[in-house]
Amino acid sequence: MTQHPHDPAHAPDEREASDTSDRLYTPEELHAYGGRIAPLAPPAPPAPPAPSAPPRRPDPLSDPLTDPLPGQVAAPPAPPVIQLPRSPAPFAPPPAPGAGPPGPPPAAPPSAPPGAPTSAPTAAPAPEPPAPAAAAAAAVVPAPQPEGEVRRFMTATDFLDRRDNELENGPATWGWRGKVRRWSGGLVQPKMGPKELEFEGHRSAIQRDFDGPRTIAFINPKGGAAKTTGVLAAGYTFGTVRGGGVVAWDNNETRGTLGIRGTRSNHRNTTRELLEDLERFSDVYQSRIGDLGAFVRSQGDAHFDVLASDERPDVTGTIRAEDFGAVHTLLERFYRVILVDTGNNMRAENWLAAAEAADLLVITSTVREDTGYSGLWMLDALQDAGMQNLKYKAVTVLSDPSAQVDSKLAHDLVQVYEQRTRAVYRVPYDPALVSGSVVPYAQLSETTKMSWLRACAGMAAAL
């Protein structure tokens, strides 16, 4: 028989198939030999190939010496185990139109033991499903931004506010801490002690901004209750700490003493003259704060002004409620803090008008039973007249009239005024105020200054 070793149309016979010579077989002959080997078991249905994998083809470079001979079946060597990387979400092809929901992936068949018959190519094992935590992480999707809502970022003003809140006080200047800083030439800078920190806190409270002018009325219907000295001390404290914008006004219906206790001026104009010339300030576009210099008296280094009450003995008449309103409106245009010294007549129109217009009432009293009783009687009368929230609208300044006071009486007055007002501030006795003349601000003791600093900080916090 003529052999056609290179003709794929002629299949080799049994003799040719059993030829074991050393010649090389062509791929066509190897394919013919493989087709004549009958499988001993029905082939398993092939697993569907992956969408992206090309169809499996015979390897043309296989070695014929390792292939099984005709009539023999040899178990192929076990394929190496390939560890596939876990993926958070295995890819699955989209279902065909009209097909049902996709079922679970088919399980990979077990590996054949050695000597088992050859079957169809085994499909690659399907990747394991992701762990629940990985699946949950893959399923987390950021929530969509609500429509119309704008995310707010830190503005330039927010940045400055944060920086201002983070500012710390400087090194200590008081006591042994300040001495250490000075002796070391600034190399050692201890922080402020408790008293110096309290001092800076009171100053910050007094320097706070208000959203408009504020009026504080000092009231007690009894003479000698330290109303005038209290107004001047408060004017000195507010003026020096805030840097100006403060006026002390003597709202006595006839004649008061604020102009006498304050620093003198080169003019003698008072509230009466201001009322007579009030029309010059009616034009808000033409009137100036400098024009008030002809009526108020500057207190120099104390950085506040004094508007005195009527001092002429030949003038009759009193300051009425409408007069108070006109002057008060004018002062609100040019000053931020208005301190009102009132008279002793609670039934006077300007007294009642001042109590009604005040943002804060300061009940002044000395550690005496008569002045303490007078202040409490006044609170009872105001409450009976219908004035509400006196507990939150009033503070008390209790002054020592002498170096030695009755401690039991002082304790009782503090206790009863704490029940009637929001706070009570004690002011010590100061010899610089005994003479009754012009208040020497520079000669006030440090204890007096600190006491009024604490009291004015409480007033500013209440505004």
Side-chain angles (χ1 to χ4, degrees):
M1 177 183 297
T2 304
Q3 297 182 358
H4 302 277
H6 302 288
D7 187 0
H10 294 81
D13 55 11
E14 294 295 336
R15 185 181 57 82
E16 294 173 346
S18 60
D19 188 5
T20 57
S21 63
D22 294 335
R23 69 182 181 85
L24 296 179
Y25 292 87
T26 63
E28 290 80 1
E29 292 175 332
L30 294 176
H31 179 70
Y33 280 120
R36 298 187 59 170
I37 300 175
L40 301 179
S52 59
R56 191 178 183 89
R57 295 180 180 178
D59 188 4
L61 301 180
S62 60
D63 189 358
L65 298 179
T66 60
D67 288 345
L69 297 176
Q72 298 180 2
V73 178
V81 179
I82 301 176
Q83 297 291 342
L84 299 177
R86 294 174 178 264
S87 58
F91 172 78
S111 301
T118 305
S119 60
T122 304
E128 298 181 4
V140 173
V141 180
Q145 191 81 5
E147 185 175 359
E149 182 178 349
V150 180
R151 183 179 178 185
R152 190 179 188 279
F153 296 92
M154 179 178 290
T155 63
T157 303
D158 296 336
F159 170 75
L160 293 181
D161 291 342
R162 186 183 68 175
R163 294 287 299 169
D164 183 67
N165 294 333
E166 294 176 354
L167 291 179
E168 297 182 358
N169 294 315
T173 58
W174 290 11
W176 65 268
R177 296 176 176 84
K179 292 180 181 179
V180 169
R181 184 183 63 83
R182 290 189 293 270
W183 290 344
S184 65
L187 297 178
V188 180
Q189 297 186 354
K191 294 184 178 180
M192 294 182 180
K195 292 185 177 180
E196 191 171 4
L197 287 174
E198 182 184 11
F199 172 79
E200 293 297 333
H202 292 331
R203 287 179 56 86
S204 298
I206 296 174
Q207 293 171 352
R208 64 185 292 260
D209 293 327
F210 304 124
D211 57 359
R214 293 293 185 267
T215 301
I216 305 175
F218 291 70
I219 56 176
N220 193 317
K222 185 183 183 306
K227 293 189 298 292
T228 300
T229 54
V231 169
L232 291 174
Y236 166 78
T237 306
F238 275 106
T240 53
V241 176
R242 291 183 62 90
V246 181
V247 61
W249 173 23
D250 193 347
N251 183 43
N252 199 299
E253 67 271 17
T254 55
R255 180 178 176 272
T257 59
L258 186 64
I260 299 174
R261 302 295 303 273
T263 304
R264 302 288 191 268
S265 179
N266 56 1
H267 67 78
R268 293 293 179 266
N269 293 330
T270 63
T271 305
R272 175 65 63 181
E273 285 73 27
L274 179 60
L275 286 171
E276 294 174 354
D277 202 11
L278 200 61
E279 290 186 359
R280 66 185 293 183
F281 298 96
S282 58
D283 189 352
V284 297
Y285 298 103
Q286 297 296 328
S287 58
R288 300 162 298 181
I289 187 174
D291 297 333
L292 278 176
F295 304 95
V296 298
R297 304 172 185 182
S298 173
Q299 299 302 294
D301 292 339
H303 297 284
F304 75 101
D305 299 331
V306 167
L307 179 59
S309 62
D310 184 18
E311 296 177 349
R312 293 184 298 178
D314 57 339
V315 176
T316 60
T318 60
I319 303 297
R320 307 182 68 86
E322 55 269 21
D323 300 330
F324 172 86
V327 175
H328 184 250
T329 301
L330 175 62
L331 295 179
E332 283 185 322
R333 285 168 49 190
F334 299 112
Y335 294 97
R336 298 180 182 181
V337 179
I338 304 172
L339 308 174
V340 181
D341 183 13
T342 59
N344 302 329
N345 184 8
M346 284 183 57
R347 296 181 176 88
E349 293 184 13
N350 63 328
W351 194 101
L352 294 174
E356 185 67 26
D359 299 293
L360 180 68
L361 300 176
V362 178
I363 292 86
T364 61
S365 177
T366 59
V367 184
R368 290 175 52 98
E369 188 172 341
D370 54 353
T371 53
Y373 165 79
S374 178
L376 293 173
W377 177 84
M378 176 191 62
L379 288 175
D380 294 339
L382 291 176
Q383 186 172 355
D384 294 341
M387 185 171 290
Q388 304 296 326
N389 298 326
L390 282 177
K391 168 68 177 178
Y392 305 99
K393 192 181 178 181
V395 298
T396 302
V397 176
L398 195 61
S399 304
D400 293 348
S402 61
Q404 300 294 329
V405 296
D406 186 349
S407 59
K408 179 63 169 60
L409 176 60
H411 175 269
D412 292 343
L413 288 175
V414 170
Q415 188 178 41
V416 68
Y417 274 106
E418 282 179 344
Q419 298 176 6
R420 302 297 301 273
T421 60
R422 62 185 297 157
V424 178
Y425 302 97
R426 291 289 304 276
V427 178
Y429 168 77
D430 197 324
L433 303 175
V434 174
S435 63
S437 61
V438 177
V439 174
Y441 305 111
Q443 298 179 20
L444 296 176
S445 66
E446 291 299 323
T447 305
T448 300
K449 293 179 182 179
M450 287 297 298
S451 299
W452 275 104
L453 181 72
R454 186 180 302 106
C456 291
M459 298 177 197
L463 293 174

